[in-house]
């Protein structure tokens, strides 16, 4: 089940935590997805977090792999950036503007998180903008 869940989710989708009601493993669909990965010679980062709390596992996975995330709070607002720290009840995100510029930190209670989007298309673009700005700043200093 480790990898099947993340491999089967579209990269441009948000996972609504309350919408996860069932996780299937070993299905014909998953076996076909695995065959397609082999046929396409695709490589994926292993999702190896062993945690009963799926949200914590995804957040730790994003932090470990330095993925940009978008965290929705109360379906009202969101915070985007890189995960700086995670505890059992608090999440600290180094926030980024839509232009990829660092914009301080956000400290949120995990219980207030309603959805997480990790390494989706917008987040990948955000990370590229951030890297571009960081490299540009390093070049100026040299």
């Amino acid at each position: 089940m480790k990898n099947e869940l993340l491999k089967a989710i579209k990269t441009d989708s948000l996972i609504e935590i309350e919408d996860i009601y069932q996780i299937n493993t070993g299905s014909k669909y998953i076996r076909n997805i695995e065959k397609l990965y082999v046929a396409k010679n695709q490589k994926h980062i292993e999702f190896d977090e062993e945690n009963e709390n799926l949200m914590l596992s995804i957040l730790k996975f994003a932090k470990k792999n330095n993925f940009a995330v978008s965290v929705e709070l109360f379906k009202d607002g969101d915070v985007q950036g890189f995960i700086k720290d995670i505890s059992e009840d608090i999440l600290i995100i180094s926030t980024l503007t839509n232009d990829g510029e660092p914009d301080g930190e956000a400290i949120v209670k995990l219980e207030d998180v309603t959805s997480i989007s990790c390494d989706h298309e917008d987040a990948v673009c955000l990370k590229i903008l951030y890297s571009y700005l960081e490299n540009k700043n390093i070049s100026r200093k040299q």
Side-chain angles (χ1 to χ4, degrees):
M1 200 270 308
K2 288 181 182 179
N3 299 311
E4 288 82 356
L5 175 65
L6 292 183
K7 289 178 182 176
I9 297 172
K10 292 181 180 182
T11 58
D12 60 350
S13 299
L14 289 176
I15 302 170
E16 295 287 336
I17 293 178
E18 62 271 1
D19 290 345
I20 297 176
Y21 62 92
Q22 177 178 337
I23 298 174
N24 295 332
T25 63
S27 68
K28 185 174 183 178
Y29 172 75
I30 296 298
R31 289 190 301 273
N32 283 337
I33 292 292
E34 289 171 347
K35 289 175 192 173
L36 287 170
Y37 285 141
V38 170
K40 291 181 174 182
N41 196 27
Q42 290 180 311
K43 304 290 184 221
H44 297 276
I45 297 171
E46 293 293 318
F47 181 71
D48 59 359
E49 292 294 326
E50 294 295 330
N51 192 323
E52 288 184 20
N53 184 322
L54 181 59
M55 181 173 60
L56 274 176
S57 293
I58 291 172
L59 291 168
K60 288 179 180 180
F61 177 77
K63 181 178 192 263
K64 177 181 173 183
N65 293 287
N66 199 35
F67 288 145
V69 298
S70 179
V71 176
E72 187 177 285
L73 306 168
F74 294 118
K75 296 188 180 214
D76 217 11
D78 66 326
V79 179
Q80 63 186 13
F82 297 104
I83 296 172
K84 181 177 180 181
D85 196 22
I86 310 164
S87 71
E88 289 300 315
D89 54 353
I90 297 292
L91 173 65
I92 301 173
I93 299 176
S94 297
T95 59
L96 298 174
T97 66
N98 289 334
D99 300 322
E101 296 175 6
D103 195 27
E105 293 181 351
I107 301 169
V108 299
K109 292 189 281 186
L110 285 173
E111 67 187 44
D112 295 340
V113 175
T114 56
S115 70
I116 306 162
S117 184
C118 171
D119 204 40
H120 61 295
E121 185 176 356
D122 290 341
V124 169
C125 291
L126 191 64
K127 185 175 180 179
I128 291 168
L129 287 169
Y130 172 78
S131 296
Y132 172 78
L133 291 171
E134 287 297 301
N135 289 334
K136 191 174 176 182
N137 288 337
I138 290 171
S139 297
R140 286 183 185 165
K141 292 178 183 178
Q142 293 176 352

